[in-house]
Amino acid sequence: MKKLWGGRFSKTPEQWIEEFGASISFDQQLVLEDIEGSLAHVKMLGKTGILTQDESELIQAGLLKLKEKAQAGELEYSVSEEDIHLNLEKMLIDEIGPAGGKLHTGRSRNDQVATDMHLYLKKQVQVIIAHIKEMQAALVGQAEKHVETILPGYTHLQRAQPISFGHHLLAYFWMLERDKQRFEESLKRIDISPLGASALAGTTFPIDRQYSAELLGFSSVYENSMDAVSDRDFIVEFLSNSALAITHLTRLAEEIILWSSKEFSFIELDDTYATGSSIMPQKKNPDMAELIRGKSGRVFGNLLSMLTILKGLPMTYNKDMQEDKEGMFDTVHTMVGSLKIFAGMIETMTVKADVMEEAVNQDFSNATELADYLAAKGIPFREAHEIVGKLVLYCINKNCYLLDLTLEEFKEACGEISDDVYGVLSPTEAVRRRNSYGGTGFDQVKIQLEQAKKLI
Ligand code: ARG
C-alpha cells in the first residue's frame, strides 16, 4: 500500500519488515492524546492564518468524528500505516478528503509523539497519585484501629522491642507520602509542550506554540526545539519514581506474606486477595502480595531499558525512541493495579491482635526496658546491659521469661531492682512509655495519625 511518506521510495517494504518497524500495536493507547494534540495544532493553524478558518474547522470536525469512533472502539488500525499518527492522518483524509492532508503543516511526528506522551503521562501520574492516596487512607484506617495493638518490632527479623501495630503501618504511610511527593514534583517537568518543535529545528510557518500549549493545558513550552523532540527524561523520571514506589510495596508485601504464614499468624487476608492450591485443600496463599513483589521486576527492568535506550543517542529523534512506550504503558498499568490491590488488601485484612500480643509476652523484647530501668537507677548503661544479658541467659536455661522471675531472682542479679520492675516490664507499658517524638508510644502514634490524616 502507498505510504503517506512514500514519494521518495520506489518500493514498499515486505510485510514482515513493516510489522517489525510498526508501533501501532501498542501506541494505539495514545489515540485520544493524539487527537487532542491534533485538535490544538489545527486550531492554532486557523488562528494564525496558516490555514483558512474553513479548512481548520473542517479538519476539527473530522478529528472529532474520529474521536467519537475511537471512544466507541470503532477505529480499525492497520500495520501498513505504521503508527497511531499515520493511521489517524490516513483516516482523517478518508473522512474529509484531501484537506485532511493539511493537518500536518508546520509539525512533525517527532513533536507530535512527544506531545502525546506528555499528555498521557500528565494524566496517568495524577491517577497514580490518587491511588497512592487511597492506599494511604487504607493504612490510616487500620492504624487508627490498632494504635494500642502491640506486637514485637523487629530488627534483623529478630524480635527487638514491642511496638504499636498502628505505628508499624504508619511507617508505610510516610514512605508512600514521599512517593506521592516525588510524583507530584515530577509533574512540572511533564507539564511542558513540545508541540511546534516540528522535526527538530522549528518551522518556517508563523506558528504560535504558546497558544497550542494553552489549548492543551500545558503550563509552558520547551525553550529548545531539539531538546523538545529528544527529551525522554520525564519518562525516565516516571519510571524511576515508580521503581522506588514499588520497592516500598514489595517490603509491605513481604511482611504481609510473613504475617499471614502459620508461623506468624498475625493477620488473615480477605479471601479476595488469596487463592487456594490445586492439590493441597488446606492452602490459602497470599498470591496478590507475592505477585506485586514479583512485578517489581518488570518495573525495574523498564527503568533500566529506558536508560539504555537513551544512552549515547545523538540529537535528536532516533527511531530507538519508539521503544520508550511499552515500558511506560506497562509501568503505568502495573503501578495502578498494584496500588489498587494493596488498598483493598490492607483495608480488608483481619488483624489478630491476640496473637500479636502473645508474641510479645512469649519473648524477651522487654529486655531493653530492664536495662533502661537499671540505667535510670544510676547504673552505667553498659553494666546494665551486661546484667540483663545474663538474666536473659538465666531465663533461657530455666525456660521462662523475665516477667516469670521472682523478686529474689531479680535481686540476686542486681540489688537495685525492686518490685516496681514488674510494671516496667509489662510490654504495653513499655510501648506507652516510648513517648519521644515520632516514637511508638500511644500518644505519639495518635499525634502521627492526625498529621497523616491531614495529608489524604
Ligand atoms: N512511531 C514513532 C515513535 O513512536 C513516531 C515518531 C516517528 N518519527 C519518525 N521520524 N519516524 O517514536
Side-chain angles (χ1 to χ4, degrees), residues 67-82:
K67 183 175 174 182
E68 255 171 51
K69 286 191 184 170
Q71 283 165 333
E74 284 166 7
L75 294 183
E76 277 182 30
Y77 302 110
S78 111
V79 169
S80 69
E81 299 310 334
E82 194 178 325

Side-chain angles (χ1 to χ4, degrees), residues 5 21-24 26-27 30 82-86 108-114 117 199 232 317-325:
W5 42 255
S23 53
I24 187 62
F26 49 87
D27 68 10
L30 295 171
E82 194 178 325
D83 58 23
I84 186 63
H85 325 294
L86 296 177
S108 146
R109 275 188 294 161
N110 298 350
D111 58 337
Q112 188 179 357
V113 70
M117 308 274 279
R232 296 292 184 271
Y317 178 83
N318 299 271
K319 183 77 167 181
D320 315 44
M321 288 166 139
Q322 181 165 287
E323 286 291 305
D324 61 2
K325 287 173 201 60

